[in-house]
């Protein structure tokens, strides 16, 4: 998304060419794709389809890519998310830092 926001459309096209084949390979193996960063999902569900409207692979990825909350909500709605835990949570779940955030020295 940063390349897109900077108007570097050639870099976006280059990254698309590099990232689409492994994503399609996973979809063909039966996987959905859950991206932890909502802007990454936005790029594949909104921006790339606008840039490449005739690209069948982008359309396919769009149908199979979700942000975590969307994915869990869809699974729950379909009855595929277990919520019958035997024990209540004893503490809050933890999260990991975003993987696409740049490292900074402190």
């Amino acid at each position: 998304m940063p390349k897109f926001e900077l108007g570097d459309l050639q870099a976006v096209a280059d990254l698309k060419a590099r990232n689409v084949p492994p994503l399609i390979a996973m979809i063909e193996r039966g996987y959905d794709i859950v991206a932890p960063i909502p802007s990454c999902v936005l790029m594949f569900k909104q921006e790339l389809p606008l840039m490449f409207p005739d690209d069948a692979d982008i359309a396919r990825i769009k149908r199979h890519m979700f942000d975590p909350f969307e994915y869990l909500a869809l699974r729950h709605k379909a009855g595929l998310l277990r919520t019958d835990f035997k024990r209540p949570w004893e503490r809050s779940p933890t999260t990991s830092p975003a993987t696409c955030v740049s490292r900074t020295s402190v």
Side-chain angles (χ1 to χ4, degrees):
M1 189 117 184
K3 300 290 185 192
F4 180 77
E5 290 175 345
L6 292 172
D8 189 352
L9 301 183
Q10 183 57 54
V12 172
D14 293 344
L15 290 167
K16 171 197 161 284
R18 188 170 74 200
N19 289 311
V20 165
L23 293 174
I24 289 296
M26 295 306 291
I27 290 168
E28 287 175 350
R29 290 177 58 195
Y31 291 98
D32 284 327
I33 300 162
V34 179
I37 311 301
S39 62
C40 297
V41 177
L42 177 70
M43 193 70 194
F44 277 93
K45 290 186 107 168
Q46 184 173 332
E47 309 301 350
L48 290 176
L50 289 173
M51 288 180 66
F52 305 97
D54 298 326
D55 189 315
D57 286 340
I58 291 294
R60 192 167 180 200
I61 291 169
K62 178 181 177 177
R63 291 190 305 270
H64 288 272
M65 183 175 269
F66 306 92
D67 73 49
F69 302 107
E70 176 187 22
Y71 193 76
L72 291 173
L74 289 170
R75 294 295 160 254
H76 188 267
K77 185 176 180 180
L80 300 172
L81 181 67
R82 287 192 55 205
T83 58
D84 59 335
F85 301 110
K86 303 221 186 276
R87 297 185 302 153
W89 286 96
E90 294 179 12
R91 60 187 173 97
S92 297
T94 58
T95 59
S96 61
T99 56
C100 66
V101 175
S102 299
R103 291 183 182 166
T104 57
S105 58
V106 178

